[in-house]
Amino acid sequence: MSAAGSGLSAVYPGSFDPVTNGHLDVIARAAETFDRLVVAVGRNSAKAALFTVEERLELLRGVCAPWPHVSVDAFDGMLVTFARERGARVLIKGLRAVSDFEYEFQMALANRHLAPDVETLFMMTSAEHLYLSSSIVKEIARLGGDVSALVPGAVVRRLREKLRP
Ligand code: PNS
């Protein structure tokens, strides 16, 4: 299925602390499907972050550079407001295991309540990324493990710099 050519824009929101190969897989799929994609870093996530929003934007801009129709930005406040401001009627969410489902379902219904004109689309991750999350990557990196197969090269380097004793 492709909406490319129909002028449809989508927003792919997240914390991206940091961007992983799992996120990149979803970005690649969404970039193939939509004419414009905005990868959006939520500024007000409840989670304590390792990377600043500016660092996360910089890393994302680097990995999204091959796609001219993919832009990267940060947003405050409600996601649906940001999506409407960008002329996007679709929110992309990545789904890994069943454990993601309840939280994502709740968010999708809340967003539909707030903005019935904005649709949430779930994209299944590739099998090799099923277990992958930013939290797991940070945990492995903190313990000195090798994350080079899990995140883009620029992220490996920034993790090393951040976690250097
Ligand atoms: O990668 P994450 O941590 O699951 O991303 C969370 C994010 C940024 C997508 C989420 O916190 C979010 O949508 N924030 C915006 C707040 C909002 O719109 N809330 C109302 C609907 S639940």
Side-chain angles (χ1 to χ4, degrees), residues 13-29:
S15 304
F16 302 107
D17 183 44
V19 58
T20 68
N21 289 347
H23 295 132
L24 211 47
D25 178 46
V26 173
I27 291 170
R29 288 162 195 276

Side-chain angles (χ1 to χ4, degrees), residues 13-16 23 40-47 75 77-80 93 103-104 106-107 110-111 114:
S15 304
F16 302 107
H23 295 132
V41 178
R43 282 191 186 274
N44 53 0
S45 170
K47 299 174 194 169
F75 71 100
M78 287 207 299
L79 173 60
V80 290
K93 290 302 196 88
Y103 172 68
E104 292 297 345
Q106 200 177 14
M107 293 237 285
N111 284 328
L114 293 165

